[in-house]
Amino acid sequence: MAGSKIPVIGQVLNERNQSHDTRKKVIIKLERELGRTVISLFTSFKYPVILSDDDADMLEALLQTMDLSDGIALLLSSPGGSGLAAERIINICRRYSGTGDYWVIIPGKAKSAATMVCFGASKIYMGPASELGPIDPQLSFVEDGRYKRFSLYNIVESYRDLFDKATNEKGNLEPYLQQLLRYDSREIKEYEDAISLSADIAVGALKTGMMSSLSKKDIKKNIKMFLTPKVTKAHGRLIDRDKANSCKLVVENMEKDDKVWSPSYELFVRLNSFVSNQVTKCVESREQSYVSSIDAHQ
C-alpha cells in the first residue's frame, strides 16, 4: 500500500479508543521540552486496581529495551497501592536512568504509594491542581455487608489510648477490658510494622534523593504531614504543590501556559480516559505500550 497515512475512519477509531498512536506524538513533544525520555505509568481510579509488583515488572520490561542515557521523566497517575511496589519502582527508575535520577510529572493525582514514587524523584512537576496524598497505610474490609476502611495509625493509637486508660484506671476496669477484647495484640504489632515500613521507604527514598543533605530525623519531621492523619484528617485529602513545597520537597510548578504543562495535561486526559474505559493500567513510552485488561480485574 502506497503511503503511510491512516484513513479517516482509522483516525476516528484511534481517537475513540485512545490508541497508542494518539499519544505518541504528544510524548515526543513532551520529551522535546524536557530533554528526557518520557515514560507514563497510569493505574485506574475507576476500577479496583492498585499499584503493584505487576506495574514494576511492566516498567522494567519497557525500560530494558530503551536508550535512557538522557534520563527518565515519569508521568504518573495512580490512587496508590503497595509501598513495596513503590520502592521497587523507585529503584528501577534510578537504576535504568542514564543520569542516575528521574523526574516525576503529576498532571492529576498521585496518591498514597504513588506519592512514595514521587519521593524517590529528584524533582516533582506539579500543575495548578495536581495532588499528592498521605502515605499512612490503610486497612480495608467488609463487615456486616458494609465496606470499611481505617488508618492503621488510628487503630494503633486507639489501642494504645485504651490500654493506657485501663492501666491507669483505679476503679472499674470492665468497660476498658470489653473494648480491648476487640483488638489482637499480634495484629497491632503487624500494624506498627506496616506504619514503620511506610515511613522507612519514604524517608529512605528522600535521603538518597532530593533531601540527601538532611538527616533522617529532619526528613521525617519535614514530611510529617504525609506520615500520619493528624494534619490531613483523611487519607484521600489533597496535598497540593504549596503544601508539598512547605514540606521541603523539590517541586517544579507548571502553569497552564507552560510548554511542559500543555503536553503533560493532554497526555493525562488521554491516558486517564484510556484507563477508565479501555484498560485498567498502562505503562508506555513513545514506542511501546503495556496494558492490563479490564477482564482481569472483574
Side-chain angles (χ1 to χ4, degrees), residues 59 79 120 126 135 172 174 180 213 215 250 255 273 281-282:
L59 178 63
M126 297 183 71
I135 64 170
N172 184 15
E174 190 62 27
L180 285 170
S213 64
S215 68
V250 179
E255 306 303 340
S273 174
K281 297 182 176 185
C282 180

Side-chain angles (χ1 to χ4, degrees), residues 130-166:
S130 299
E131 297 182 23
L132 301 178
I135 64 170
D136 58 306
Q138 305 291 294
L139 175 66
S140 300
F141 59 93
V142 176
E143 184 177 75
D144 299 328
R146 294 174 56 197
Y147 175 80
K148 296 183 178 182
R149 187 174 73 176
F150 294 98
S151 166
L152 295 191
Y153 181 90
N154 284 337
I155 294 175
V156 171
E157 285 296 295
S158 65
Y159 172 79
R160 288 173 177 168
D161 183 57
L162 278 172
F163 192 87
D164 288 344
K165 286 178 178 178

Side-chain angles (χ1 to χ4, degrees), residues 24-38 70 259-260 263 286:
K24 183 174 180 178
K25 61 184 179 182
V26 190
I27 295 172
I28 292 171
K29 182 179 179 181
L30 183 55
E31 287 181 334
R32 192 177 300 123
E33 295 298 336
L34 292 170
R36 286 198 170 206
T37 300
V38 172
D70 58 355
K259 291 182 178 180
V260 172
R286 68 159 78 178

Side-chain angles (χ1 to χ4, degrees), residues 69-245:
S69 56
D70 58 355
I72 295 171
L74 183 68
L75 189 83
L76 179 63
S77 175
S78 173
S82 165
L84 293 177
E87 187 175 40
R88 280 193 64 204
I89 290 169
I90 291 169
N91 186 55
I92 289 168
C93 287
R94 288 177 174 176
R95 295 289 184 177
Y96 279 89
S97 174
T99 58
D101 74 333
Y102 66 98
W103 303 339
V104 170
I105 306 168
I106 310 300
K109 295 184 286 188
K111 299 289 197 169
S112 194
T115 291
M116 289 185 182
V117 175
C118 296
F119 287 168
S122 56
K123 67 177 173 180
I124 309 167
Y125 283 85
M126 297 183 71
S130 299
E131 297 182 23
L132 301 178
I135 64 170
D136 58 306
Q138 305 291 294
L139 175 66
S140 300
F141 59 93
V142 176
E143 184 177 75
D144 299 328
R146 294 174 56 197
Y147 175 80
K148 296 183 178 182
R149 187 174 73 176
F150 294 98
S151 166
L152 295 191
Y153 181 90
N154 284 337
I155 294 175
V156 171
E157 285 296 295
S158 65
Y159 172 79
R160 288 173 177 168
D161 183 57
L162 278 172
F163 192 87
D164 288 344
K165 286 178 178 178
T167 301
N168 295 321
E169 176 62 48
K170 304 301 182 183
N172 184 15
L173 288 175
E174 190 62 27
Y176 299 112
L177 295 178
Q178 288 180 357
Q179 292 182 72
L180 285 170
L181 285 174
R182 302 183 65 180
Y183 296 86
D184 185 325
S185 61
R186 296 168 299 180
E187 290 182 346
I188 294 298
K189 182 63 173 69
E190 288 294 323
Y191 298 161
E192 289 174 336
D193 288 346
I195 294 167
S196 178
L197 175 64
S198 180
D200 189 62
I201 292 171
V203 172
L206 290 165
K207 177 62 180 173
T208 52
M210 67 177 77
M211 294 188 187
S212 59
S213 64
L214 301 179
S215 68
K216 288 187 175 182
K217 181 179 179 180
D218 286 338
I219 293 171
K220 196 169 185 178
K221 182 179 179 181
N222 285 345
I223 63 168
K224 185 178 180 180
M225 180 185 300
F226 291 91
L227 298 179
T228 79
K230 284 188 174 181
V231 177
T232 55
K233 309 302 181 186
H235 190 67
R237 188 85 175 269
L238 72 86
I239 296 176
D240 62 18
R241 64 191 189 185
D242 293 334
K243 291 175 182 175
N245 265 309

